[in-house]
Amino acid sequence: MAAPALEGAAVTALRSVMLRVRQGAERAGTRPELIRVVAVSKTKSVSLIRQVYDAGHRCFGENYVQEIVDKAPQLPEDIEWHFIGHLQSNKVSFLYAAGVPNLSAVQSVDNEKVANILDRVVSSLGRNPLKVFVQVNTSGEASKSGINPSVCASLAEHVKLRCPNLVFSGLMTIGMPDYTSTPENFRTLSNCRLEVCQALGIAVDQCELSMGMSGDFEQAVMLLSFVVRLDSN
């Protein structure tokens, strides 16, 4: 009898944070519909994800290759899957070829090797270009993946100019776990965007920022993040 209550709670929680995202966007002077909310469904059951899907949400994020490969075939094909976890080069083909044809974006590209393999896999499968975000380690924590902010423009340039089967879409970061330094981390990513846009000769709105989780997404929205990642529970 407890499972339906938990599933209902997940939907209620997501709707609550969606409202807060909208309110934060309005305070920041941003059109709320421009902000994409990725419901992080790692460790969540297929039935719970389906409940959130049935409530109208279509964008989900997974951290582990095996999980997304297992779940995606069991769920509707119009889900927009984002892979947000650390991606090892030897898992790239498995992620994209083994059952996730509706993979919309990989938000965790942090080196040229992974970018090159992704590019080759997309080409070999004859699929449409895949959106990618360059992950930046803005906190300097050794435990976190991500490229150093000082060289993120170089990797973004590599993706845009040398990986024709990938679409450079923006930058991603994960703030400090205690949220005390997240404003600084988010400002660092915003500065990285300016450097990337200058290096690539693109407008700021062509480089999205993916930052913010359930505990700090409102700060991210206020700093003009257009992609936020929220736990779905």
Side-chain angles (χ1 to χ4, degrees):
M1 296 296 291
L6 287 173
E7 292 176 349
V11 173
T12 299
L14 186 62
R15 285 176 173 164
S16 173
V17 294
M18 292 287 282
L19 175 60
R20 289 162 61 192
V21 165
R22 183 177 186 86
Q23 292 170 338
E26 290 172 347
R27 287 196 298 272
T30 301
R31 288 162 52 199
E33 63 271 18
L34 294 179
I35 299 177
R36 186 181 305 111
V37 175
V38 179
V40 179
S41 50
K42 67 175 182 178
T43 73
K44 306 300 188 294
S45 68
V46 169
S47 61
L48 188 146
I49 297 171
R50 184 60 194 243
Q51 287 288 322
V52 177
Y53 172 90
D54 288 344
H57 201 72
R58 292 292 180 271
C59 190
F60 294 86
E62 287 286 341
N63 288 62
Y64 305 111
V65 171
Q66 189 61 58
E67 251 191 280
I68 191 172
V69 167
D70 289 344
K71 291 174 180 177
Q74 302 179 62
L75 289 158
E77 294 181 356
D78 64 335
I79 283 180
E80 179 185 329
W81 288 107
H82 287 235
F83 187 76
I84 60 176
H86 177 60
L87 183 58
Q88 297 174 308
S89 58
N90 63 345
K91 295 289 183 68
V92 172
S93 296
F94 186 55
L95 168 67
Y96 201 49
V100 195
N102 51 334
L103 183 66
S104 177
V106 173
Q107 293 199 19
S108 48
V109 172
D110 60 3
N111 62 76
E112 290 184 5
K113 183 178 180 179
V114 167
N116 292 340
I117 296 174
L118 263 177
D119 183 64
R120 290 198 297 270
V121 170
V122 175
S123 176
S124 67
L125 293 173
R127 293 184 182 167
N128 293 329
L130 176 69
K131 295 178 182 179
V132 299
F133 289 68
V134 168
Q135 182 175 357
V136 184
N137 187 340
T138 56
S139 65
E141 296 170 274
S143 60
K144 280 202 175 89
S145 300
I147 197 166
N148 188 287
S150 65
V151 291
C152 67
S154 176
L155 180 54
E157 189 171 25
H158 177 83
V159 170
K160 185 171 178 62
L161 300 181
R162 301 186 181 277
C163 299
N165 299 286
L166 304 180
V167 177
F168 172 72
S169 297
L171 306 173
M172 183 269 264
T173 197
I174 300 172
M176 295 283 279
D178 61 0
Y179 305 126
T180 57
S181 299
T182 48
E184 180 182 346
N185 299 156
F186 294 166
R187 280 192 290 271
T188 296
L189 196 68
S190 295
N191 291 334
C192 285
R193 173 165 62 178
L194 295 177
E195 294 176 12
V196 167
C197 290
Q198 183 176 15
L200 300 183
I202 60 176
V204 171
D205 61 4
Q206 292 181 278
C207 181
E208 294 185 315
L209 297 183
S210 174
M211 57 188 188
M213 296 290 287
S214 292
D216 55 15
F217 69 89
E218 287 168 307
Q219 297 176 60
V221 170
M222 291 300 293
L223 287 169
L224 302 184
S225 173
F226 286 98
V227 182
V228 293
R229 307 177 303 273
L230 303 174
D231 295 336
S232 56
N233 61 341

